[in-house]
Structures are given as C-alpha cells and as structure tokens.
Amino acid sequence: MIAERTGYIVWLHDAKPARNLDKYGSLHYVSRKMNYAVIYVNSDRAEETMKSIQRLPYVKKVERSYRSEIRTEYNSNMPDKTRFYSY
C-alpha cells in the first residue's frame, strides 16, 4: 500500500547542506540558484517533520506545497480546430 505523501518547499540560507534533508523524507529537487529544496514526507508524520526541519540552522522557512490540490483533469467545451488547419 502506498502511503499518502505531502510536499514541502524548504527555503535555505545555503544550498550545500540541503543533502542533509534526505533523512527527513524524499528529497525531490534542490535549486542551488534560488536556494530551495522540495521534499516529500509521509502525511501521518508531516507536522512533526516540518517542525524539526524548521529548527535546522540553515533553513529560512518551510512552506507546504499545494500541488496535490491543483486540478489536473481538464475538459474543453470548444471544438477541435485542427481539421481546419490541415491541408
């Protein structure tokens, strides 16, 4: 059974110690230019993990990712116009 995951964006003072975040969850992405990391943790322990990450000296702030709440199923009421542009 697959556990529910919650994504967090961790803003950092420096991107070099970001590899230490791997012990808190799945480290998905690290931006060295913008100094942030994306980490996924289990939903049942997400709040405790977030509090422990915030205590780290190289972390500015932690934000929850709302990617799972964005609607990804699209429907269109407009007709397909590709047949008008074909030769």
Side-chain angles (χ1 to χ4, degrees):
M1 182 176 202
I2 299 174
E4 286 291 317
R5 308 286 276 167
T6 303
Y8 285 104
I9 293 96
V10 181
W11 294 95
L12 308 164
H13 291 289
D14 187 26
K16 190 170 183 177
R19 64 180 83 120
N20 295 333
L21 293 173
D22 199 26
K23 64 182 172 183
Y24 295 101
S26 299
L27 187 61
H28 180 70
Y29 179 74
V30 177
S31 172
R32 297 197 181 280
K33 185 176 181 181
M34 294 181 63
N35 291 333
Y36 76 91
V38 178
I39 186 170
Y40 288 96
V41 297
N42 288 340
S43 294
D44 55 348
R45 298 182 323 165
E47 290 299 318
E48 301 133 16
T49 307
M50 187 175 97
K51 289 177 184 176
S52 62
I53 290 174
Q54 284 177 340
R55 288 189 207 115
L56 297 172
Y58 52 88
V59 173
K60 284 183 190 176
K61 67 178 180 176
V62 180
E63 295 178 351
R64 188 170 162 273
S65 174
Y66 295 104
R67 184 174 183 181
S68 62
E69 298 174 8
I70 295 175
R71 186 173 56 100
T72 57
E73 296 174 6
Y74 306 105
N75 56 6
S76 176
N77 295 334
M78 295 175 44
D80 187 22
K81 294 184 179 181
T82 56
R83 62 186 174 109
F84 296 120
Y85 299 115
S86 63
Y87 295 100

